[in-house]
Amino acid sequence: MKFKITLLPGDGIGPEVVAEAVRVLETIASKYKHSFQFQERLMGGCSIDKYGSSLTDETLADCQASDSVLLGAVGGPKWDDPKAKDRPERGLLALRKGLGVFANLRPVKVHPALMEWSPLKPEKLQGVDILVVRELTGGLYFGFPKGRDIKDGRERAVDTLEYYDYEVKRVMELAFNLARGRKKKVTSVDKANVLESSRLWRQIAVKVGEANKDIELEHMLVDTASMRLITGPAWMDVVVTENMFGDILTDEASVLAGSMGMLPSASLGESTIGLYEPIHGSAPDIAGKGIANPTGTILSTAMMLRHSFKLETEAAAIEKAVDETVTAGARTADIGGKLTTRQMADEIIQRL
Ligand code: IPM
Ligand code: MG
């Protein structure tokens, strides 16, 4: 089959990890007789430098016209001025909105060989296999009013946590569908004891739950969830939550796996176009050194094959190769080894 993939390597270590993920996709293409056509574009700080905008209309249109998008990472100290008109992160948010990818899937599995790299005791990590479904195009990140002004002689800043019923419903339904292929349990995380938006969230969760009686629905307050994630994460399976809660909980959950460098993500919407990216950032401290862990990005390509291209066999082959590579002891610096980004990818490719 033939697919067009837009690459947005971005900033920092982004280009280094995306280059290795492309080699993995090329290996898959030749082994399974597919054709992946790549087009590379700028997004983030590099796009601000070249075009004066973190995401140009042309780049967004190119992404929309492709079958899926693979992103490295965006941001860095160079573009951190709080007064700047544009920031790399704005490009990422505009891209998510522009692609309509309202659900961000962040799976967290702990490889037995990496348990020592987790801050939790190994016995707490047994059986951890979590899928966080984070709402991605609503909530505090996008709500209006938003901004700064002077009110009653005081400097003021406003962000708005806003949700429409249909925004909650579609991400909730997706979470229920994903739960059906797993342990048939959904934990909906909110702050319904305080926030009106969370009370709407919970009301819709209950409604979707009634229409999907084969799936167990549990509600949990976000503060409790963040605590339970550390005291005993094995209870979690599919967790669905609003944008900002999901942002925070997924960083917290990621340390369970030993390194953020290991974890992939997929952002999905109504269409089959998905946005795939590792969950780590641009890591300016190690950028250009060729030592970043490419595994999260490589696993993101597996998610791309599964969710956007429906190539389950190929997706599973990548995941198996990663699993065997880690079991065999191949390690980049973040997980205590000396392999370069390229060598780690070679280890994975060799097992494909
Ligand atoms: C993430 C990141 C982004 C977010 C930033 C870079 C805008 O933290 O993907 O989790 O907050 O969504
Ligand atoms: Mg984040």
Side-chain angles (χ1 to χ4, degrees):
M1 295 217 275
K2 214 170 151 177
F3 298 99
K4 192 156 132 197
I5 302 168
T6 301
L7 304 173
L8 302 174
D11 309 315
I13 59 171
E16 298 165 45
V17 292
V18 166
E20 301 310 322
V22 167
R23 290 172 62 227
V24 168
L25 283 171
E26 280 166 344
T27 307
I28 291 287
S30 76
K31 187 165 173 208
Y32 295 88
K33 309 273 178 285
H34 300 302
S35 155
F36 299 141
Q37 188 197 331
F38 300 102
Q39 59 176 12
E40 195 168 316
R41 296 290 180 268
L42 297 179
M43 202 278 281
C46 56
S47 181
I48 295 179
D49 289 350
K50 175 124 191 238
Y51 304 119
S53 164
S54 53
L55 175 69
T56 65
D57 293 346
E58 291 76 21
T59 297
L60 176 59
D62 287 340
C63 291
Q64 286 164 336
S66 55
D67 295 306
S68 76
V69 180
L70 181 66
L71 175 86
V74 295
K78 183 175 173 194
W79 306 283
D80 256 348
D81 176 5
K83 294 219 167 68
K85 278 209 316 289
D86 197 357
R87 294 180 59 101
E89 292 81 0
R90 191 204 61 88
L92 178 56
L93 299 187
L95 179 68
R96 290 170 176 170
K97 198 75 171 176
L99 290 174
V101 288
F102 59 78
N104 180 218
L105 278 50
R106 297 190 169 183
V108 179
K109 263 195 206 169
V110 189
H111 194 290
L114 294 182
M115 280 185 182
E116 57 167 319
W117 287 93
S118 172
L120 293 203
K121 298 187 185 81
E123 64 264 26
K124 299 231 179 222
L125 294 168
Q126 290 305 334
V128 168
D129 181 1
I130 303 169
L131 176 62
V132 180
V133 181
R134 168 188 173 193
E135 200 291 325
L136 202 60
T137 52
L140 271 177
Y141 279 61
F142 295 95
F144 277 98
K146 177 190 240 5
R148 303 271 285 252
D149 60 6
I150 304 287
K151 199 176 175 197
D152 305 327
R154 302 246 175 213
E155 200 175 352
R156 187 176 76 132
V158 180
D159 293 288
T160 301
L161 208 179
E162 171 187 62
Y163 271 108
Y164 282 89
D165 52 1
Y166 77 93
E167 295 177 292
V168 181
K169 184 165 179 270
R170 63 189 180 185
V171 72
M172 196 62 69
E173 285 173 344
L174 194 122
F176 273 77
N177 284 337
L178 290 163
R180 191 159 284 119
R182 296 170 53 103
K183 290 186 199 136
K184 296 197 188 323
K185 183 180 156 193
V186 169
T187 304
S188 170
V189 171
D190 61 33
K191 186 73 185 172
N193 53 347
V194 177
L195 300 175
E196 205 52 56
S197 55
S198 280
R199 289 193 274 273
L200 175 67
W201 181 278
R202 194 174 282 216
Q203 174 192 319
I204 305 238
V206 168
K207 228 171 159 175
V208 173
E210 278 162 4
N212 293 274
K213 287 243 190 292
D214 57 321
I215 309 287
E216 181 194 341
L217 169 65
E218 155 187 69
H219 305 281
M220 192 172 289
L221 297 175
V222 64
D223 43 355
T224 310
S226 70
M227 186 249 305
R228 297 272 309 271
L229 195 52
I230 294 302
T231 53
W235 62 271
M236 282 190 164
D237 194 57
V238 174
V239 174
V240 59
T241 191
E242 74 92 30
N243 203 345
M244 179 117 215
F245 297 160
D247 179 46
I248 298 168
L249 285 178
T250 52
D251 262 31
E252 191 192 354
S254 74
V255 301
L256 303 177
S259 165
M260 279 186 114
M262 296 298 298
L263 297 177
S265 84
S267 302
L268 310 174
E270 305 292 359
S271 84
T272 56
I273 304 181
L275 170 63
Y276 299 86
E277 53 177 312
I279 76 149
H280 62 70
S282 59
D285 52 322
I286 58 162
K289 295 189 178 157
I291 57 168
N293 188 347
T295 309
T297 316
I298 290 171
L299 286 172
S300 300
T301 68
M303 295 187 86
M304 174 189 292
L305 298 179
R306 171 173 299 122
H307 295 287
S308 285
F309 303 166
K310 309 291 171 218
L311 299 175
E312 177 57 36
T313 308
E314 291 82 340
I318 294 176
E319 287 162 351
K320 182 160 170 278
V322 166
D323 210 70
E324 288 169 6
T325 300
V326 174
T327 303
R331 302 278 187 274
T332 40
D334 55 313
I335 41 178
K338 289 201 166 61
L339 294 186
T340 64
T341 309
R342 169 60 51 102
Q343 287 166 336
M344 186 71 181
D346 283 339
E347 291 281 338
I348 294 168
I349 289 169
Q350 168 198 314
R351 291 178 171 87
L352 273 172

